[in-house]
Amino acid sequence: MKRLLTALLCILLLASCSANNAKNPVTREFFAMDTVMTLTIYSVRGADRAQAADEVVALVEQLAEDILDKNATTADEEEMMRWATEAYNLTDGMFDVTLAPVIRAWGFGTGEYRVPAADELQALLASRNKDDIDYGGIAKGYASDLASSRVLGGQSGNSSIADFGGNVCAVGSRPDGKPWRVAVRDPLNTESTCGTLELTNCAAVTSGGYQRNFTQDGVTYHHIIDPRTGYPAQSGLASVTVVCETGALADGLSTGLFVLGKERALEIWRENRDKFDLVLIEENGALTVTDGLSFTSDRAFEVAS
Amino acid sequence: MSRTRKLATAALLASLALVLHMAEAALPPLVAIPGIKLGLANVVTLFAMVTLGIPCAAGVLAARIFVGGLLGGGLSAMLYGAAGGLASFALMSLLCRKFQRKRLWIVSALCAVAHNYGQLAVAIAVTGRAEIIWYAPVLTAVGIIAGALTGVCATLVLNRLEKARK
Amino acid sequence: MKKRKHTLEIIIAAVFLISSATALVIHLNRESRGVIGVYRDGVLLSTFTLDGIEPLDYEVVGENGEMNLVHIDSDGARMLLANCPDKLCVLHGKLAGNEPIICLPNRVVVKWLSAAELSAETASRTDATLP
């Protein structure tokens, strides 16, 4: 009897050992680029997961530092500029990293919110140049690309999901083989979500006015500035979610397409279907999803093709 | 009563209970809730308990549930029947002796409610959803009515039988 | 002898009245509560937000051939078809109040979901949420 029990106990222990790996990921939460970032690593082929997590944290913190110091290595800067330019081109110029002074004038970044005068904005818009660039609109996306290409991804069987301050990076699939389930927030009711995306090996980014704004004299001003006017964009959209293989591009596109509005965003998508997909939520709550996405929701939505 | 007589009576009662059970099952359902019926067969169970005693009555009930399940409804019917039957029977055994013949309807009403609650418990366990418990008010009300009716029936039968013997 | 207390009878009568009244209130409350959930074996299969929904028939199929067809429109839900032996779920009619529509043989439950329940169900199945 004793032997039987010991044998059973051994089997149980062994079983729990292997189960542990699959079920318990290595998670890490850290602060960088002014925001909270989280990593959830289930498996990284040929590497120790905790070590991989450390590498990602180090990588991102270093990038953040370099950007702040205006000291980004040439390679990083070139890459970021490359994606920023592509996003600029794909969004009729609505994603513009040279908008930095305009965004600052509103107080986004410093926290000293104010409504700039019209002529001040005109002057700032006119004096945009490549020496005063803020990669803020693309940095987190780029960080997620670095993390996935250098550490987390690149091999089949790797499985992790990370959130770089709102830039979700899905590496591989869930450990059970099914796609990662990423929920899209409801911009009209930010406590709830309005649908779930199924993602494998890609990045997802959402831009919306509700994410950062201030109210003055009863009017709410958000942080996504329309380069044509210098004022927060009023395109009829409440949020844009871009799903793309490259986080940096997703980051830039989500901002630029938000400014452009639903019709133009869908037009651009139709011309670039293989590059990205969209979830658009209008100010009236209407939900539109492009046909390349696997999206489920308990409310009605339109599929754009 | 001699043992042979008891056995024979029990067998008769069991078949009677079964017939009533099957007849009732053939009728359209009373309410859209599983297991809610008049429970005419329970008249027999109660009668058996009063005249033959608890052990025999248990046998009558068990036979009815088992064969009833075999003849229609299958394993799940047997399961639900057993759950409700057990709860109801337990209560019946406790209360039966304490009430006069005239007030047997009280025993029956309470047992019918117990039967329904037993089925409710099984339903919650099977579906895994606790909100089924919201059926409790309906089950209580219907149970009281049906139980009272079958209890009155049992009383009438017992009275008739007594008269017939005299 | 004639002054026997009828306490027990009174209690039973009271219980009966209260439970019938409660049952009526529950069963007659057919107001829409916004979100419906369909479960099998206690596991949520799908949710439906009724606001602006087009009427649809949701089919629930089980491993052993169980089949239930739930009709959902902007008013609520009811069981259209089921291959269970008793069809009590179909007889239930429209979903009412806290009382779910249950198909016991097929272990299917259709019920209203509160906002809290909906969040909890969604959260437990989500790996990440975009901000």
Side-chain angles (χ1 to χ4, degrees), chain A residues 113-126:
Chain A
Y113 299 120
R114 53 184 278 268
V115 183
D119 44 355
E120 181 188 345
L121 289 170
Q122 287 305 313
L124 286 170
L125 284 172

Side-chain angles (χ1 to χ4, degrees), chain A residues 186-189 208-210 220 222 224 232-240 258-259 261-262 280-288 299:
Chain A
D186 183 350
L188 306 176
N189 183 7
Y210 62 93
T220 305
H222 65 69
I224 306 175
Q234 299 288 329
S235 63
L237 285 175
S239 84
V240 172
F258 180 91
V259 176
K262 178 180 167 187
L280 303 169
I281 306 175
E282 295 166 68
E283 279 167 357
N284 62 8
L287 193 52
T288 309
R299 51 182 96 170

Side-chain angles (χ1 to χ4, degrees), chain A residues 161 163 166 168 174 180-183 185 193 204-206 210-211 241 298-299, chain C residues 35 47-53 118-119 122 124-131:
Chain A
I161 188 155
D163 182 345
V168 172
R174 284 165 51 87
W180 293 103
R181 299 183 289 238
V182 179
R185 200 164 291 275
T193 58
V205 182
T206 306
Y210 62 93
Q211 292 168 332
T241 302
D298 55 357
R299 51 182 96 170
Chain C
V35 185
T47 61
F48 298 90
T49 304
L50 301 187
D51 187 27
I53 201 174
L118 186 59
S119 302
T122 323
S124 67
R125 317 161 113 220
T126 308
D127 299 307
T129 307
L130 289 160

Side-chain angles (χ1 to χ4, degrees), chain B residues 23-40:
Chain B
E24 229 186 349
L27 293 171
L30 211 62
V31 190
I33 298 143
I36 302 312
K37 45 187 171 40
L38 282 171
L40 289 174

